[in-house]
């Protein structure tokens, strides 16, 4: 059985005795900083001069310094900048300011696991990784609940890295929901695999393919949108609430029969082979190398694919239909 910790297993005084620096104020950074602050922990946010996030953090009542200053003052540094820029930020702003006994924390194992960041032996290295987007980490905290998290220790210089990690998880509200023990390797590899083959890559390709097939067959794009994208959430909500059995209990017998007989014809041995190949490329470091090279080159493929995908017909049709749903708050990614 997996080891899962809850609030009673944590010692809130450990993180309260630290000076915490949160480097970055994006999705995770704003949530960690504000939750820790509201939990009574001393927090400084580290942001570059001229970062558009500075004003936001100051207006939220937080102390803001440069990443290097924040790291120098702190004895617990949580690094919450994009994974592809983390190595550079670490070498420039954090590494020169690390002292024996400091704790270096991450919310994803990528840079440690793939050896992009190699911390000195005299600091603790741990991960507290909420299993949900930052905006939910913040919102659930203010509502009295929390987002579950993973905890892992890469390096235990002090002998108390694990307890400090649990204490941090308490501070951001994750111990209210459960903190699961893992390793940097397991977290990194399963996280990348999940986002590639199902959560982000797999699902998006399935949605676009099903939508296009319906439209090409002459059905109205609006019908195709409702069927292949909108309704996905309603089905996934049922799975989230009670697993596949609850979803299959709620749908019609006709839908359930189609599920059992047609699903396995769509996701085939070829799909599973592609999933295993993606896993192998994660495990042997090929994906990490490819992504870091792409990022160092200015991410040309990422940016051009993003533009093309944003122009897909399903996006135009969907935007129009969502405008007619008064219960939906319009959401649009910022344009470059
Ligand atoms: P983000 O892209 O939302 O925000 C990053 C922030 O870092 C920016 O807002 C900015 O303040 C700062 N920043 C950006 N580029 C920088 C640079 N070159 N130098 C210095 N600062 C810079 O990032 P995020 O999604 O919050 O991810 C942070 C970490 O949390 C990553 O390790 C990620 O894997 C992990 N994580 C994210 C989520 C999520 O829901 N987004 C969930 C779990 C774990
Ligand atoms: Mg993830």
């Amino acid at each position: 059985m997996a080891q899962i910790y809850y609030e009673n297993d944590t010692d809130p005084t450990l993180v309260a005795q630290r000076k915490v620096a949160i480097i970055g104020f994006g999705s995770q950074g704003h949530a960690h900083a504000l939750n820790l602050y509201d939990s009574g922990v001393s927090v400084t946010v580290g942001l570059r001069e001229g970062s558009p996030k500075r004003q936001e953090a100051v207006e939220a009542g937080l102390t803001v310094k440069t990443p290097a200053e924040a790291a120098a003052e702190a004895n617990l540094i949580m690094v919450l900048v994009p994974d592809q820029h983390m190595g550079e930020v670490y070498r420039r702003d954090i590494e020169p300011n690390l002292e024996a006994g400091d704790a270096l924390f991450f919310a994803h194992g990528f840079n440690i696991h793939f050896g992009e960041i190699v911390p000195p032996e005299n600091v603790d290295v741990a991960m507290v990784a909420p299993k949900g987007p930052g905006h939910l980490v913040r919102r659930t905290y203010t509502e009295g609940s929390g987002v579950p998290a993973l905890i892992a220790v890469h390096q235990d210089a002090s002998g108390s890295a694990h307890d400090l990690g649990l204490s941090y998880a308490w501070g951001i509200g994750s111990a209210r929901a459960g903190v699961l023990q893992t390793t940097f390797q397991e977290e990194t590899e399963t996280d990348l695999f999940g986002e590639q083959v199902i959560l982000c890559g797999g699902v998006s390709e399935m949605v676009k393919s099903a939508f296009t097939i319906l439209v090409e067959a002459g059905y109205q794009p609006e019908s195709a949108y409702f069927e292949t994208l909108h309704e996905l959430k309603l089905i996934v909500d049922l799975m989230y609430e009670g697993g596949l059995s609850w979803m299959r209990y709620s749908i019609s017998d006709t839908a359930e029969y189609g599920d059992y007989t047609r699903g396995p014809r769509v996701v085939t041995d070829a799909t599973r082979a592609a999933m295993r190949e993606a896993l192998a490329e994660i495990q042997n470091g090929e994906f990490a190398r490819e992504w870091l090279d792409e990022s160092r080159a200015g991410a040309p493929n990422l940016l051009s694919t993003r533009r093309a995908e944003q122009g897909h017909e399903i996006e135009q049709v969907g935007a129009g239909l969502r405008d007619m749903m008064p219960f939906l708050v319009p959401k649009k990614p910022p344009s470059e």
Side-chain angles (χ1 to χ4, degrees), residues 5-12 166 170 175-176:
Y5 301 94
Y6 296 94
E7 282 201 305
N8 281 341
D9 304 312
T10 71
D11 177 356
L166 283 181
W170 164 84
R176 297 168 180 170

Side-chain angles (χ1 to χ4, degrees), residues 262-283:
R262 269 48 178 186
R265 279 164 43 183
V266 174
V267 175
T268 62
D269 284 342
T271 318
R272 279 182 285 277
M275 287 185 177
R276 282 192 201 95
E277 197 181 322
L279 181 59
E281 289 172 4
I282 292 165
Q283 290 170 331

Side-chain angles (χ1 to χ4, degrees), residues 25-28 47-48 53 80-83 86 89 107-108 130 132-134:
F25 202 67
S27 177
Q28 289 293 322
L47 285 172
R48 293 165 293 180
K53 296 281 175 185
L80 295 174
V81 302
D83 296 303
M86 211 176 262
V89 172
H108 180 31

Side-chain angles (χ1 to χ4, degrees), residues 108 130-132 187 190-192 195 199:
H108 180 31
K131 285 281 91 183
E187 186 275 340
T190 56
D191 191 67
L192 293 172
E195 65 203 20
L199 304 173

Side-chain angles (χ1 to χ4, degrees), residues 195-330:
E195 65 203 20
Q196 290 176 16
V197 310
I198 172 157
L199 304 173
C200 309
V203 165
S204 303
E205 264 325 288
M206 292 282 273
V207 165
K208 283 186 300 169
S209 300
F211 173 86
T212 302
I213 286 168
L214 285 178
V215 172
E216 283 174 0
Y219 298 98
Q220 301 179 82
E222 292 79 3
S223 297
Y225 173 84
F226 281 134
E227 195 53 48
T228 62
L229 192 151
H230 182 86
E231 214 178 316
L232 185 59
K233 174 185 162 40
L234 312 178
I235 293 294
V236 170
D237 280 350
L238 294 169
M239 288 164 54
Y240 176 87
E241 286 164 11
L244 293 172
S245 300
W246 174 246
M247 181 273 282
R248 286 163 168 167
Y249 166 75
S250 299
I251 61 180
S252 68
D253 288 353
T254 311
E256 186 181 2
Y257 180 75
D259 167 345
Y260 298 147
T261 57
R262 269 48 178 186
R265 279 164 43 183
V266 174
V267 175
T268 62
D269 284 342
T271 318
R272 279 182 285 277
M275 287 185 177
R276 282 192 201 95
E277 197 181 322
L279 181 59
E281 289 172 4
I282 292 165
Q283 290 170 331
N284 67 22
E286 199 176 320
F287 173 77
R289 265 193 307 281
E290 176 187 322
W291 168 224
L292 291 173
D293 284 348
E294 158 79 6
S295 166
R296 276 189 278 266
N301 296 310
L302 177 76
L303 297 177
S304 65
T305 310
R306 182 184 288 164
R307 264 192 303 279
E309 288 280 308
Q310 288 178 352
H312 193 285
E313 186 182 2
I314 196 170
E315 296 296 274
Q316 323 293 323
V317 174
L321 290 170
R322 289 192 299 271
D323 275 348
M324 304 304 287
M325 300 182 201
F327 50 88
L328 283 185
V329 183

